[in-house]
Structure formats: C-alpha cells, structure tokens
Amino acid sequence: MLKTIGMLWLQGPLSYLEQLCVKSFLDAGHRVVLYHYGPLQNVPEGVELADANEVLPQSGFLRHERTGSPALHSDLFRYKMLAKEDNVIWADTDAYCMKPFQTRNGHFYGWEGNKHINGGVLGLPKDSDTLRALLDFTNDEFSIPTWYGDEYTQELKAAKNAGMPVHAGDQPWGVWGPHAVTHFLHATGEVKYALPQEALYPFKFKDRRLMLRRNFDTTPYITENTYSVHLFGRRMRARLVEKEGGVPHRSSLLGKLLTKHGIDPRKAPIPNKGRPEPAKETPTGSKTVASTATPRPTIFAPLHPSVRYGRGEVNLTDLADKYGSDKGSAKHRYSELYQMLFLPYRNRTISFLEMGLQIGGPEHGNNAARPTTDAPSVRMWLEFFPKAKIHGLDVSDFSWFKDPRFVFHCCDMDRRENIRAATSDIKALDIVIDDASHASHHQQNGLLELFGKVKSGGLYIIEDLRWQPKDFETLGYPKTATLFQNYLEASVFRHPEPAIEKELNDMRVDISGCFLFQAQFQKNRRDQVLVIHKR
C-alpha cells in the first residue's frame, strides 16, 4: 500500500506549477491530502482537502525575517503532521513525483548536496528519534541551534542572557528546516537511511534553470533511481514570470511535464510575481471540497521588464538585465534606485568605484584565487557613464578585463591598510558602491578608508545589508544596517571599538543625509541598501 502524501498550501489559488506537482503524485497512484487555512482555487480533481488547524492551529504565521517566507511555519507543520498521521510522507508543493514513493521502514528523505539533507520530501516513522528531537527543538521559537559553530552559539547565548533572545526568524535560513533535519539525523544515527542526491534532488540550486532550457538532455540528472525532482518553487515562479513570459517553453523539461499531465498553464497562471498569497487571520477550512468562491478576475498582469526596454532615457535596469547583473529586475532591483540617483552624473567626467565585481567569491566558500569569467556590472557602468573612469576592486583577479576607462585594484578588505594601499592612486571619487563580501567589518573598513575620498555632493552606497557571511563576521562588530539605523534615530554612531566609534562620529560633519532602503523597496522587508550623501 502506497503512502499518503501530505502537503500544505496556506490559501489562495494554486498556480500551474503547484498543480503539476500535486497531480504528479495522484497520477503515480498516491492518495494526496492538501492541508490549508483559507479558501483554495485551482485544486486538481482527486485531491482531498483538510483543515490545517487540526495539525497546527493558525495563531500568526512564523516567517523568516530576511525573505518573508512562511518556511518556519511549514517546517513545524510537517513535523507535527508526521507525528499525528499514520502512513504519510510529507512533500512540498514544488516536489514533482517521478515514480511512486516506497519505503519499508517509514524513513524517506534524501541528500540535496554534500552537506545537507533536505526536508522538502520527508518521511519519518512516529517512533523516530529524529522526529522527537525536531519537535522538541521547534517547540521554542528562541531555541539555540548548535550546528553553526561555537562562535555563533555563544553569540546567541549571550543575547539570551542579556534578555534579548534571537528569534528563529532572525536566525539563518533553514534553521528549522534542512539544517535541523541534517543535524538530528546525524545525532540519532538515522542518517543511514538517507537516499542519495539523485533520488529526490537531482538538480542542484545552481542548475535549476536547466529545467527551463529548450530540448535539454536530462539523463545526467534524472535516472531510474529518481523518485522526485525539486522545482525550487519560489525561485522558479519568479524566473518564469520575469524571464519566460509566465510559461515555460513546451520543449523544456517543465513544458514537457505540463503536457504529460494535461495541465494548461493559461488556466492557472503564476500570481503576484511568484509569491504565494498570504493567509488571512480567519481560516475557513474544509476536509473534502475546495471553496467554490470565484476569485476576482485579473484585469492587469505584471509587466515583463522587457516591455519597458528602450523607452525614454538610457535606463540602468535595461543595462543590468542586458549584462546579467543581479542589480537589475531579476533580483535586487537596485538599478531602479540608481537610475534616479545617477542620471544627473551620466554624461559627466566622473570617477566611479565599485567593490565586488562578480558573484561567487570567498564569502560563498570559493577560493580568492578562483578564475573569474565576467564583470557584468562593470560593463553596465561603462555603457551608462560614457565619460567616466571606472575603478573596480576585488579580492579575486580581474586584471584580464581590458577597457581604456577601467582600472582594476586587487584587495582583501579584511585589513584597512590593504584598502588604503590598493586605492592610494585614487585621489577623488564621485560615487562608491560596496558590493564586496558584505561582511560587516569589511563594509565598515571600506567606509572609513574611502568616504574621505568622496567629493562634496558625492554618494557612498553599501549593498546587501541583510546578508552577512557568517564565516567572515567579526564577533562584536555591529551589522552595518544596525549601525546606521541607530545613527538615524540618535544622530550618534555607537560602536564597540572606541577608535572606530570616534572616526564614525567625526564623519558626521560631512554627511548631508543617509537613507536605508528595504529589500525590493517594500517597507515590511529588512534593510538592504544604504545611500550616504556627502556634504
């Protein structure tokens, strides 16, 4: 007898991506139970609906602070569901079933890489020591994880002892999910039951776009041992809307699967830039039938960025998308802000410095001596500023990039004297952008060394304030966003290093204003980019 597949969709319409995954289990012969808190639409025929409150009452959703994702709530829900229900395996709504899930001992989970076991598909028997440990750990929203190293553990303990415990939503992504699952499976010895990567996660995160490539040969990834394919729901939905016009090509893997299961993507489009609708405070669940309420028809759909290309002035978003920079519409959207700030500089003879020239440096676990292949933002700046001298600074080598208006400076920002030496030939700057390692002390080292070189009326910008590489962080250094948020509130800089605190406060006479913008420019998100204007 096949296991029942348990899934959760908070409320609102399922897009064709979720329809595909749900229907794949039905077509493989599984019974599928879809838990929900509010009304649903576009539920495939044959799915049984159940009130999620019976597993985990809705009393305010636990969300991850950096992304706004309800992943924490989903993590807790699956553990409680496994403890409550019999003969069930959990599956995320972005897990596509290649063949029936079969297990003789109730354990069903797999490696997603060399380091982590994912919980996107999760089967644990009720007497599992891992399941009991997961429930105990997630019972406290301020539990301290011990799997990120002693330094981070001590930092959390110090905060707790000071009366300011750190909520799970402010801890690293995956703290209740794959990181906890992996830790406790190792601790209990149940890791021995984990399936190899090809079984449940044949495509790595970095390879996800291959599933949208036309006529792509999937045989190196999907094998006879593959039970499921992770479609990376949130990222895949965004990619489909922003890059594929909302629908995958029929010759791509995703397009072929839609055809196989008879799903018309036009009848269940991806809404709201790929983000699930938020749950309402008053749930109305049903065990057997979906809501028959007709949603308000969509009159206007989001514009694909390409619709705007070429309109009006030369636009940084167009250039960012052209050269593949993450500052454009596909990710951070910094280009929208920079278009407003930088347009007056466009045809002036300015001096411009950017720190950090390509994604994937040591902050992502790569060697500083890595081979670099492109400098997308440098190409963007050279085209946008036709008269500017562009300086680029990075710990990796970009000396191969040749342009009469580009100068490369190799520098490890871990020490201020390195920055001072690397930029000694730069006398004055109009604009500085720090998109380097994002480590707090690196950002503050750069600011202290380079703000003095910025001309009157110039701009100093620090990107990606909400993500700091934990292996690079220096204990005791405040996050740069916190440093400036406190400055905006008190007009005084506070820093644990007295000498640095003095330097920062001495800078105040030259600060005309500073502004913190949230991720995606949404006020409910965390601070993401800092702009300082020099007097």
Side-chain angles (χ1 to χ4, degrees):
M1 179 179 174
L2 289 179
K3 294 274 190 179
T4 294
I5 301 299
M7 310 174 100
L8 173 67
W9 190 252
L10 301 184
Q11 74 165 26
L14 276 68
S15 77
Y16 65 81
L17 197 68
E18 294 80 48
Q19 285 186 328
L20 172 64
C21 293
V22 171
K23 197 167 189 305
S24 71
F25 285 100
L26 290 172
D27 292 349
H30 284 284
R31 172 181 175 239
V32 177
V33 177
L34 182 61
Y35 293 88
H36 64 114
Y37 287 98
L40 301 179
Q41 296 87 38
N42 304 336
V43 179
E45 184 177 354
V47 173
E48 298 178 36
L49 300 183
D51 185 358
N53 288 283
E54 294 187 0
V55 175
L56 179 60
Q58 178 186 350
S59 57
F61 285 96
L62 294 164
R63 294 184 183 271
H64 187 256
E65 177 63 24
R66 178 171 62 83
T67 64
S69 166
L72 290 167
H73 188 93
S74 177
D75 292 333
L76 182 57
F77 184 93
R78 73 194 65 188
Y79 306 147
K80 288 186 174 291
M81 184 203 73
L82 291 171
K84 179 178 184 293
E85 303 295 340
D86 293 315
N87 196 45
V88 65
I89 291 176
W90 165 271
D92 284 344
T93 52
D94 62 355
Y96 173 83
C97 180
M98 292 295 301
K99 65 178 183 178
F101 288 5
Q102 294 180 330
T103 170
R104 295 180 178 178
N105 55 21
H107 291 270
F108 200 80
Y109 36 82
W111 290 95
E112 65 169 337
N114 296 327
K115 296 181 179 180
H116 297 301
I117 294 168
N118 202 322
V121 169
L122 187 63
L124 288 168
K126 284 188 173 183
D127 61 354
S128 162
D129 291 336
T130 299
L131 180 57
R132 183 162 49 251
L134 286 166
L135 289 168
D136 288 344
F137 179 77
T138 55
N139 187 52
D140 180 2
E141 296 177 22
F142 299 92
S143 285
I144 295 176
T146 59
W147 43 88
Y148 297 118
D150 186 63
E151 184 175 313
Y152 185 62
T153 301
Q154 294 307 316
E155 182 181 329
L156 294 183
K157 287 182 178 179
K160 185 175 183 178
N161 292 336
M164 296 183 293
V166 179
H167 189 271
D170 292 306
Q171 294 175 21
W173 172 268
V175 62
W176 280 14
H179 299 168
V181 169
T182 304
H183 171 79
F184 288 118
L185 283 172
H186 277 293
T188 63
E190 292 176 352
V191 68
K192 64 185 178 184
Y193 300 118
L195 298 169
Q197 184 178 337
E198 66 175 329
L200 300 175
Y201 307 99
F203 289 92
K204 294 181 180 180
F205 178 77
K206 67 181 180 65
D207 298 325
R208 66 193 185 282
R209 295 176 184 176
L210 298 177
M211 290 184 272
L212 297 176
R213 184 173 293 179
R214 301 179 185 187
N215 300 308
F216 179 73
D217 179 11
T218 62
T219 54
Y221 297 86
I222 299 174
T223 72
E224 62 181 6
N225 298 319
T226 301
Y227 287 95
S228 178
V229 176
H230 182 203
L231 300 186
F232 300 97
R234 181 170 66 92
R235 297 298 182 89
M236 184 65 80
R237 287 191 294 267
R239 177 79 182 181
L240 284 163
V241 169
E242 294 166 4
K243 297 295 184 182
E244 304 292 331
V247 179
H249 193 271
R250 61 182 179 276
S251 68
S252 67
L253 171 62
L254 204 54
K256 291 176 181 177
L257 294 178
L258 289 169
T259 300
K260 174 183 176 180
H261 295 279
I263 294 174
D264 184 349
R266 295 169 299 179
K267 293 182 179 179
I270 296 172
N272 194 23
K273 290 192 175 182
R275 299 184 183 92
E277 293 294 322
K280 296 180 180 177
E281 288 298 321
T282 306
T284 55
S286 169
K287 286 188 176 181
T288 55
V289 295
S291 169
T292 57
T294 303
R296 184 177 183 269
T298 300
I299 300 174
F300 300 105
L303 284 180
H304 191 278
S306 62
V307 175
R308 299 189 178 95
Y309 290 171
R311 297 178 66 87
E313 296 269 4
V314 172
N315 194 281
L316 267 170
T317 298
D318 296 4
L319 297 180
D321 292 351
K322 172 183 175 180
Y323 291 115
S325 169
D326 64 1
K327 301 181 195 299
S329 66
K331 194 169 183 181
H332 293 307
R333 295 172 50 199
Y334 297 149
S335 56
E336 298 172 24
L337 172 64
Y338 296 164
Q339 178 71 14
M340 293 183 279
L341 295 176
F342 298 168
L343 193 59
Y345 292 88
R346 183 168 182 263
N347 290 303
R348 290 167 50 186
T349 305
I350 66 168
S351 184
F352 183 105
L353 168 66
E354 178 168 34
M355 296 173 274
L357 305 183
Q358 187 181 25
I359 295 172
E363 69 276 12
H364 292 286
N366 298 315
N367 194 292
R370 65 183 173 126
T372 56
T373 57
D374 196 10
S377 59
V378 173
R379 298 184 190 278
M380 173 179 72
W381 301 130
L382 286 167
E383 183 169 344
F384 186 77
F385 295 114
K387 299 178 182 179
K389 186 169 187 178
I390 307 298
H391 296 271
L393 184 149
D394 201 289
V395 68
S396 299
D397 183 23
F398 287 82
S399 60
W400 54 265
F401 190 102
K402 303 297 183 183
D403 187 278
R405 295 189 289 114
F406 175 73
V407 181
F408 174 63
H409 308 262
C410 193
C411 176
D412 182 343
M413 297 179 67
D414 205 53
R415 299 175 66 86
R416 288 179 58 178
E417 52 264 38
N418 296 347
I419 303 171
R420 194 177 310 136
T423 60
S424 60
D425 61 332
I426 304 176
K427 304 307 178 186
L429 292 160
D430 294 275
I431 299 171
V432 177
I433 293 181
D434 183 348
D435 186 21
S437 74
H438 315 310
S440 301
H441 67 293
H442 287 188
Q443 292 170 336
Q444 291 158 40
N445 285 349
L447 176 65
L448 291 168
E449 288 299 323
L450 297 170
F451 188 70
K453 292 178 180 284
V454 177
K455 298 177 185 176
S456 176
L459 298 167
Y460 194 104
I461 297 169
I462 304 177
E463 296 181 350
D464 293 0
L465 298 173
R466 66 177 183 164
W467 179 79
Q468 278 65 54
K470 63 183 180 67
D471 292 339
F472 275 38
E473 286 292 87
T474 295
L475 189 63
Y477 260 71
K479 298 287 192 287
T480 304
T482 303
L483 184 72
F484 274 86
Q485 192 60 259
N486 291 341
Y487 167 71
L488 287 171
E489 293 174 3
S491 298
V492 173
F493 285 107
R494 300 297 186 199
H495 199 284
E497 294 288 338
I500 294 177
E501 183 175 87
K502 182 180 185 306
E503 283 188 82
L504 288 168
N505 282 295
D506 287 347
M507 283 173 41
R508 289 178 298 167
V509 295
D510 290 321
I511 295 177
S512 175
C514 62
F515 307 89
L516 285 162
F517 296 91
Q518 290 72 44
Q520 299 287 313
F521 309 109
Q522 297 174 19
K523 64 181 182 180
N524 62 327
R525 305 285 291 275
R526 290 178 65 184
D527 294 330
Q528 177 74 330
V529 60
L530 168 70
V531 178
I532 309 170
H533 188 234
K534 191 164 185 179
R535 290 186 67 88

